[in-house]
Amino acid sequence: MAKETALVTGASRGIGRATALRLSAAYDIVAVARSESELKSLKGEIEIGGGVCRTIALDIADEKAVTAALRGLEVDVLVNNAGVATMKPFLELTSAEWHNMVNVNFNALYYVTHALIHGMVERKRGFIVTIGSLAGRNSFVGGSCYSATKHAVNGFSESLMLEVRDANVRVAVVMPGSVETSLTPSSGDQSWKMTSNQIADAVWYLISQPDSVLVSRIEMRPSKAPRHR
Ligand SMILES: NC(=O)c1ccc[n+]([C@@H]2O[C@H](COP(=O)([O-])OP(=O)(O)OC[C@H]3O[C@@H](n4cnc5c(N)ncnc54)[C@H](OP(=O)(O)O)[C@@H]3O)[C@@H](O)[C@H]2O)c1
């Protein structure tokens, strides 16, 4: 029997790459990001494990490019993972940094989800997981835009969840705290952070629930704050 398909944005590294690998035993993967060489490396690793991976090199902040690239794709699981973070005091934040975060973390949710959700509703089957953040309910210095986009992720995800659940399309959000990735510059011991694989396991947990169950939000954080490690 043919496998179902899972599309993961931001699959070139970090949480998205780990999620694509985690899902590849059960799903054919469509891996989306801008970095072709990193996508190629992911495809190779999935194929060595016996899986199937199609790569799409795409800037998800480009609405026309997204619409053209995803047209006609039948996707059973969408993982909206791609994100960018520039943590800076608002007074120092440039207009370009602001717009990049809003475009990738928030506007692209419309472009990618809209391209795929109609098919899910017609087939009466689908799962949409968005990677939000604990920044989606916490405020912090340097987070005026990033935190705002992640608050928006929660509003988007929870409203959409209520709109499409009767069509058997389940929508959920994963809100991690600190994960060891290249999202923001960091130095020193990072071993107290969660790993990308642990977030990938949470995505797997959500989508492997029975059809009659919808776990719509997961909050997760390192078990100890860095000062206690
Ligand atoms: N790391 C953390 O502590 C943490 C905590 C909470 C939530 N998160 C969230 O987790 C998600 C993944 O972040 P990460 O930590 O794994 O970061 P990462 O390692 O920097 O990966 C970010 C991914 O997003 C992709 N991306 C960025 N801009 C893109 C664009 N315009 N078009 C297409 N893809 C784009 C990147 O691919 P290309 O550069 O190849 O395009 C990359 O694959 C984000 O939504 C982030 O906000 C992270």
Side-chain angles (χ1 to χ4, degrees):
M1 204 171 93
K3 284 183 187 165
E4 292 189 342
T5 299
L7 184 146
V8 182
T9 67
S12 57
R13 58 181 181 273
I15 295 168
R17 189 180 203 280
T19 301
L21 280 166
R22 181 73 176 84
L23 270 49
S24 65
Y27 293 87
D28 290 345
I29 300 297
V30 180
V32 173
R34 291 166 304 174
S35 314
E36 287 187 49
S37 61
E38 292 178 66
L39 288 176
K40 200 172 156 201
S41 142
L42 169 70
K43 179 180 168 69
E45 197 171 335
I46 288 176
E47 287 174 353
I48 285 168
V52 171
C53 179
R54 171 179 171 188
T55 63
I56 302 181
L58 178 64
D59 178 353
I60 62 162
D62 180 340
E63 182 171 13
K64 282 192 182 140
V66 171
T67 306
L70 304 188
R71 185 176 293 125
L73 270 186
E74 279 198 13
V75 165
D76 303 288
V77 174
L78 163 63
V79 184
N80 283 315
N81 160 79
V84 288
T86 304
M87 310 298 193
K88 265 187 182 177
F90 179 72
L91 271 67
E92 295 167 21
L93 197 64
T94 67
S95 169
E97 289 164 340
W98 174 280
H99 285 291
N100 191 37
M101 279 186 276
V102 172
N103 287 336
V104 177
N105 298 358
F106 185 51
N107 288 336
L109 293 179
Y110 179 86
Y111 311 150
V112 175
T113 307
H114 220 258
L116 301 174
I117 196 170
H118 293 279
M120 291 181 180
V121 168
E122 276 159 27
R123 293 189 298 278
K124 294 221 171 305
R125 180 163 188 79
F127 214 123
I128 299 168
V129 182
T130 301
I131 309 299
S133 171
L134 289 183
R137 75 179 182 81
N138 301 332
S139 306
F140 56 93
V141 171
S144 58
C145 185
Y146 181 74
S147 173
T149 63
K150 293 301 184 177
H151 276 73
V153 165
N154 291 343
F156 164 76
S157 187
E158 293 183 7
S159 299
L160 186 62
M161 180 265 289
L162 297 172
E163 289 180 21
V164 296
R165 65 179 172 165
D166 290 337
N168 202 32
V169 177
R170 289 177 287 173
V171 180
V173 62
V174 178
M175 299 167 65
S178 298
V179 186
E180 191 180 355
T181 71
S182 57
L183 183 71
T184 51
S186 45
S187 56
D189 179 17
Q190 303 291 306
S191 61
W192 59 274
K193 292 184 176 179
M194 294 181 290
T195 65
S196 293
N197 284 336
Q198 289 163 341
I199 313 307
D201 284 343
V203 174
W204 174 255
Y205 171 81
L206 288 174
I207 65 173
S208 55
Q209 293 301 305
D211 278 358
S212 57
V213 175
L214 171 52
V215 178
S216 54
R217 180 202 292 210
I218 290 181
E219 291 189 15
M220 53 197 298
R221 68 198 78 222
S223 56
K224 289 193 175 76
R227 63 184 176 280
H228 295 307
R229 71 181 190 273

mmCIF file with all atom_site columns, all heavy atoms in Angstrom, residues 196-209:
data_model
loop_
_atom_site.group_PDB
_atom_site.id
_atom_site.type_symbol
_atom_site.label_atom_id
_atom_site.label_alt_id
_atom_site.label_comp_id
_atom_site.label_asym_id
_atom_site.label_entity_id
_atom_site.label_seq_id
_atom_site.pdbx_PDB_ins_code
_atom_site.Cartn_x
_atom_site.Cartn_y
_atom_site.Cartn_z
_atom_site.occupancy
_atom_site.B_iso_or_equiv
_atom_site.pdbx_formal_charge
_atom_site.auth_seq_id
_atom_site.auth_comp_id
_atom_site.auth_asym_id
_atom_site.auth_atom_id
_atom_site.pdbx_PDB_model_num
ATOM 1   N N   . SER A 1 196 ? 16.546 18.692 18.646 1.00 0.00 ? 196 SER A N   1
ATOM 2   C CA  . SER A 1 196 ? 15.576 18.679 17.539 1.00 0.00 ? 196 SER A CA  1
ATOM 3   C C   . SER A 1 196 ? 14.822 17.357 17.493 1.00 0.00 ? 196 SER A C   1
ATOM 4   O O   . SER A 1 196 ? 13.618 17.317 17.188 1.00 0.00 ? 196 SER A O   1
ATOM 5   C CB  . SER A 1 196 ? 16.311 18.898 16.212 1.00 0.00 ? 196 SER A CB  1
ATOM 6   O OG  . SER A 1 196 ? 16.832 20.191 16.153 1.00 0.00 ? 196 SER A OG  1
ATOM 7   N N   . ASN A 1 197 ? 15.514 16.263 17.802 1.00 0.00 ? 197 ASN A N   1
ATOM 8   C CA  . ASN A 1 197 ? 14.850 14.957 17.778 1.00 0.00 ? 197 ASN A CA  1
ATOM 9   C C   . ASN A 1 197 ? 13.716 14.888 18.805 1.00 0.00 ? 197 ASN A C   1
ATOM 10  O O   . ASN A 1 197 ? 12.693 14.222 18.577 1.00 0.00 ? 197 ASN A O   1
ATOM 11  C CB  . ASN A 1 197 ? 15.855 13.835 18.071 1.00 0.00 ? 197 ASN A CB  1
ATOM 12  C CG  . ASN A 1 197 ? 16.742 13.552 16.870 1.00 0.00 ? 197 ASN A CG  1
ATOM 13  O OD1 . ASN A 1 197 ? 16.361 13.836 15.741 1.00 0.00 ? 197 ASN A OD1 1
ATOM 14  N ND2 . ASN A 1 197 ? 17.919 13.013 17.119 1.00 0.00 ? 197 ASN A ND2 1
ATOM 15  N N   . GLN A 1 198 ? 13.889 15.562 19.921 1.00 0.00 ? 198 GLN A N   1
ATOM 16  C CA  . GLN A 1 198 ? 12.817 15.532 20.931 1.00 0.00 ? 198 GLN A CA  1
ATOM 17  C C   . GLN A 1 198 ? 11.579 16.283 20.440 1.00 0.00 ? 198 GLN A C   1
ATOM 18  O O   . GLN A 1 198 ? 10.450 15.881 20.727 1.00 0.00 ? 198 GLN A O   1
ATOM 19  C CB  . GLN A 1 198 ? 13.339 16.104 22.262 1.00 0.00 ? 198 GLN A CB  1
ATOM 20  C CG  . GLN A 1 198 ? 14.331 15.151 22.916 1.00 0.00 ? 198 GLN A CG  1
ATOM 21  C CD  . GLN A 1 198 ? 15.194 15.784 23.990 1.00 0.00 ? 198 GLN A CD  1
ATOM 22  O OE1 . GLN A 1 198 ? 15.348 17.011 24.066 1.00 0.00 ? 198 GLN A OE1 1
ATOM 23  N NE2 . GLN A 1 198 ? 15.783 14.955 24.827 1.00 0.00 ? 198 GLN A NE2 1
ATOM 24  N N   . ILE A 1 199 ? 11.784 17.346 19.673 1.00 0.00 ? 199 ILE A N   1
ATOM 25  C CA  . ILE A 1 199 ? 10.621 18.067 19.113 1.00 0.00 ? 199 ILE A CA  1
ATOM 26  C C   . ILE A 1 199 ? 9.983  17.199 18.006 1.00 0.00 ? 199 ILE A C   1
ATOM 27  O O   . ILE A 1 199 ? 8.762  17.124 17.894 1.00 0.00 ? 199 ILE A O   1
ATOM 28  C CB  . ILE A 1 199 ? 11.044 19.452 18.551 1.00 0.00 ? 199 ILE A CB  1
ATOM 29  C CG1 . ILE A 1 199 ? 11.947 20.205 19.534 1.00 0.00 ? 199 ILE A CG1 1
ATOM 30  C CG2 . ILE A 1 199 ? 9.802  20.267 18.193 1.00 0.00 ? 199 ILE A CG2 1
ATOM 31  C CD1 . ILE A 1 199 ? 11.427 20.362 20.944 1.00 0.00 ? 199 ILE A CD1 1
ATOM 32  N N   . ALA A 1 200 ? 10.833 16.547 17.233 1.00 0.00 ? 200 ALA A N   1
ATOM 33  C CA  . ALA A 1 200 ? 10.317 15.648 16.187 1.00 0.00 ? 200 ALA A CA  1
ATOM 34  C C   . ALA A 1 200 ? 9.465  14.533 16.812 1.00 0.00 ? 200 ALA A C   1
ATOM 35  O O   . ALA A 1 200 ? 8.425  14.147 16.262 1.00 0.00 ? 200 ALA A O   1
ATOM 36  C CB  . ALA A 1 200 ? 11.476 15.052 15.392 1.00 0.00 ? 200 ALA A CB  1
ATOM 37  N N   . ASP A 1 201 ? 9.893  14.026 17.964 1.00 0.00 ? 201 ASP A N   1
ATOM 38  C CA  . ASP A 1 201 ? 9.109  12.991 18.649 1.00 0.00 ? 201 ASP A CA  1
ATOM 39  C C   . ASP A 1 201 ? 7.728  13.529 19.058 1.00 0.00 ? 201 ASP A C   1
ATOM 40  O O   . ASP A 1 201 ? 6.736  12.799 19.029 1.00 0.00 ? 201 ASP A O   1
ATOM 41  C CB  . ASP A 1 201 ? 9.846  12.494 19.900 1.00 0.00 ? 201 ASP A CB  1
ATOM 42  C CG  . ASP A 1 201 ? 11.003 11.562 19.555 1.00 0.00 ? 201 ASP A CG  1
ATOM 43  O OD1 . ASP A 1 201 ? 11.048 11.044 18.421 1.00 0.00 ? 201 ASP A OD1 1
ATOM 44  O OD2 . ASP A 1 201 ? 11.872 11.366 20.431 1.00 0.00 ? 201 ASP A OD2 1
ATOM 45  N N   . ALA A 1 202 ? 7.690  14.811 19.447 1.00 0.00 ? 202 ALA A N   1
ATOM 46  C CA  . ALA A 1 202 ? 6.397  15.408 19.834 1.00 0.00 ? 202 ALA A CA  1
ATOM 47  C C   . ALA A 1 202 ? 5.470  15.506 18.625 1.00 0.00 ? 202 ALA A C   1
ATOM 48  O O   . ALA A 1 202 ? 4.261  15.249 18.727 1.00 0.00 ? 202 ALA A O   1
ATOM 49  C CB  . ALA A 1 202 ? 6.621  16.788 20.454 1.00 0.00 ? 202 ALA A CB  1
ATOM 50  N N   . VAL A 1 203 ? 6.040  15.852 17.465 1.00 0.00 ? 203 VAL A N   1
ATOM 51  C CA  . VAL A 1 203 ? 5.222  15.914 16.243 1.00 0.00 ? 203 VAL A CA  1
ATOM 52  C C   . VAL A 1 203 ? 4.684  14.522 15.925 1.00 0.00 ? 203 VAL A C   1
ATOM 53  O O   . VAL A 1 203 ? 3.498  14.338 15.614 1.00 0.00 ? 203 VAL A O   1
ATOM 54  C CB  . VAL A 1 203 ? 6.042  16.469 15.049 1.00 0.00 ? 203 VAL A CB  1
ATOM 55  C CG1 . VAL A 1 203 ? 5.230  16.394 13.759 1.00 0.00 ? 203 VAL A CG1 1
ATOM 56  C CG2 . VAL A 1 203 ? 6.496  17.906 15.330 1.00 0.00 ? 203 VAL A CG2 1
ATOM 57  N N   . TRP A 1 204 ? 5.566  13.528 16.039 1.00 0.00 ? 204 TRP A N   1
ATOM 58  C CA  . TRP A 1 204 ? 5.150  12.148 15.777 1.00 0.00 ? 204 TRP A CA  1
ATOM 59  C C   . TRP A 1 204 ? 4.030  11.734 16.741 1.00 0.00 ? 204 TRP A C   1
ATOM 60  O O   . TRP A 1 204 ? 3.040  11.106 16.337 1.00 0.00 ? 204 TRP A O   1
ATOM 61  C CB  . TRP A 1 204 ? 6.344  11.200 15.913 1.00 0.00 ? 204 TRP A CB  1
ATOM 62  C CG  . TRP A 1 204 ? 5.929  9.773  15.791 1.00 0.00 ? 204 TRP A CG  1
ATOM 63  C CD1 . TRP A 1 204 ? 5.809  8.855  16.798 1.00 0.00 ? 204 TRP A CD1 1
ATOM 64  C CD2 . TRP A 1 204 ? 5.496  9.104  14.601 1.00 0.00 ? 204 TRP A CD2 1
ATOM 65  N NE1 . TRP A 1 204 ? 5.340  7.656  16.305 1.00 0.00 ? 204 TRP A NE1 1
ATOM 66  C CE2 . TRP A 1 204 ? 5.141  7.784  14.963 1.00 0.00 ? 204 TRP A CE2 1
ATOM 67  C CE3 . TRP A 1 204 ? 5.368  9.508  13.272 1.00 0.00 ? 204 TRP A CE3 1
ATOM 68  C CZ2 . TRP A 1 204 ? 4.674  6.861  14.024 1.00 0.00 ? 204 TRP A CZ2 1
ATOM 69  C CZ3 . TRP A 1 204 ? 4.894  8.583  12.345 1.00 0.00 ? 204 TRP A CZ3 1
ATOM 70  C CH2 . TRP A 1 204 ? 4.567  7.281  12.731 1.00 0.00 ? 204 TRP A CH2 1
ATOM 71  N N   . TYR A 1 205 ? 4.162  12.103 18.001 1.00 0.00 ? 205 TYR A N   1
ATOM 72  C CA  . TYR A 1 205 ? 3.133  11.771 19.000 1.00 0.00 ? 205 TYR A CA  1
ATOM 73  C C   . TYR A 1 205 ? 1.776  12.347 18.573 1.00 0.00 ? 205 TYR A C   1
ATOM 74  O O   . TYR A 1 205 ? 0.754  11.647 18.609 1.00 0.00 ? 205 TYR A O   1
ATOM 75  C CB  . TYR A 1 205 ? 3.549  12.330 20.371 1.00 0.00 ? 205 TYR A CB  1
ATOM 76  C CG  . TYR A 1 205 ? 2.482  12.242 21.420 1.00 0.00 ? 205 TYR A CG  1
ATOM 77  C CD1 . TYR A 1 205 ? 2.253  11.049 22.110 1.00 0.00 ? 205 TYR A CD1 1
ATOM 78  C CD2 . TYR A 1 205 ? 1.673  13.345 21.713 1.00 0.00 ? 205 TYR A CD2 1
ATOM 79  C CE1 . TYR A 1 205 ? 1.245  10.966 23.054 1.00 0.00 ? 205 TYR A CE1 1
ATOM 80  C CE2 . TYR A 1 205 ? 0.665  13.263 22.661 1.00 0.00 ? 205 TYR A CE2 1
ATOM 81  C CZ  . TYR A 1 205 ? 0.458  12.069 23.337 1.00 0.00 ? 205 TYR A CZ  1
ATOM 82  O OH  . TYR A 1 205 ? -0.544 11.988 24.265 1.00 0.00 ? 205 TYR A OH  1
ATOM 83  N N   . LEU A 1 206 ? 1.773  13.604 18.141 1.00 0.00 ? 206 LEU A N   1
ATOM 84  C CA  . LEU A 1 206 ? 0.505  14.243 17.747 1.00 0.00 ? 206 LEU A CA  1
ATOM 85  C C   . LEU A 1 206 ? -0.168 13.504 16.604 1.00 0.00 ? 206 LEU A C   1
ATOM 86  O O   . LEU A 1 206 ? -1.363 13.198 16.660 1.00 0.00 ? 206 LEU A O   1
ATOM 87  C CB  . LEU A 1 206 ? 0.774  15.683 17.278 1.00 0.00 ? 206 LEU A CB  1
ATOM 88  C CG  . LEU A 1 206 ? 1.143  16.710 18.328 1.00 0.00 ? 206 LEU A CG  1
ATOM 89  C CD1 . LEU A 1 206 ? 1.506  18.024 17.649 1.00 0.00 ? 206 LEU A CD1 1
ATOM 90  C CD2 . LEU A 1 206 ? -0.018 16.913 19.284 1.00 0.00 ? 206 LEU A CD2 1
ATOM 91  N N   . ILE A 1 207 ? 0.614  13.227 15.569 1.00 0.00 ? 207 ILE A N   1
ATOM 92  C CA  . ILE A 1 207 ? -0.015 12.680 14.357 1.00 0.00 ? 207 ILE A CA  1
ATOM 93  C C   . ILE A 1 207 ? -0.295 11.190 14.466 1.00 0.00 ? 207 ILE A C   1
ATOM 94  O O   . ILE A 1 207 ? -0.998 10.640 13.618 1.00 0.00 ? 207 ILE A O   1
ATOM 95  C CB  . ILE A 1 207 ? 0.812  12.990 13.087 1.00 0.00 ? 207 ILE A CB  1
ATOM 96  C CG1 . ILE A 1 207 ? 2.175  12.291 13.127 1.00 0.00 ? 207 ILE A CG1 1
ATOM 97  C CG2 . ILE A 1 207 ? 0.986  14.493 12.893 1.00 0.00 ? 207 ILE A CG2 1
ATOM 98  C CD1 . ILE A 1 207 ? 2.948  12.441 11.824 1.00 0.00 ? 207 ILE A CD1 1
ATOM 99  N N   . SER A 1 208 ? 0.234  10.543 15.508 1.00 0.00 ? 208 SER A N   1
ATOM 100 C CA  . SER A 1 208 ? -0.025 9.110  15.624 1.00 0.00 ? 208 SER A CA  1
ATOM 101 C C   . SER A 1 208 ? -1.138 8.797  16.628 1.00 0.00 ? 208 SER A C   1
ATOM 102 O O   . SER A 1 208 ? -1.374 7.635  16.961 1.00 0.00 ? 208 SER A O   1
ATOM 103 C CB  . SER A 1 208 ? 1.256  8.350  15.974 1.00 0.00 ? 208 SER A CB  1
ATOM 104 O OG  . SER A 1 208 ? 1.819  8.878  17.138 1.00 0.00 ? 208 SER A OG  1
ATOM 105 N N   . GLN A 1 209 ? -1.835 9.845  17.098 1.00 0.00 ? 209 GLN A N   1
ATOM 106 C CA  . GLN A 1 209 ? -3.005 9.603  17.945 1.00 0.00 ? 209 GLN A CA  1
ATOM 107 C C   . GLN A 1 209 ? -4.127 8.960  17.113 1.00 0.00 ? 209 GLN A C   1
ATOM 108 O O   . GLN A 1 209 ? -4.180 9.155  15.892 1.00 0.00 ? 209 GLN A O   1
ATOM 109 C CB  . GLN A 1 209 ? -3.522 10.937 18.511 1.00 0.00 ? 209 GLN A CB  1
ATOM 110 C CG  . GLN A 1 209 ? -2.566 11.599 19.496 1.00 0.00 ? 209 GLN A CG  1
ATOM 111 C CD  . GLN A 1 209 ? -2.263 10.715 20.682 1.00 0.00 ? 209 GLN A CD  1
ATOM 112 O OE1 . GLN A 1 209 ? -3.161 10.263 21.371 1.00 0.00 ? 209 GLN A OE1 1
ATOM 113 N NE2 . GLN A 1 209 ? -0.985 10.430 20.896 1.00 0.00 ? 209 GLN A NE2 1
#
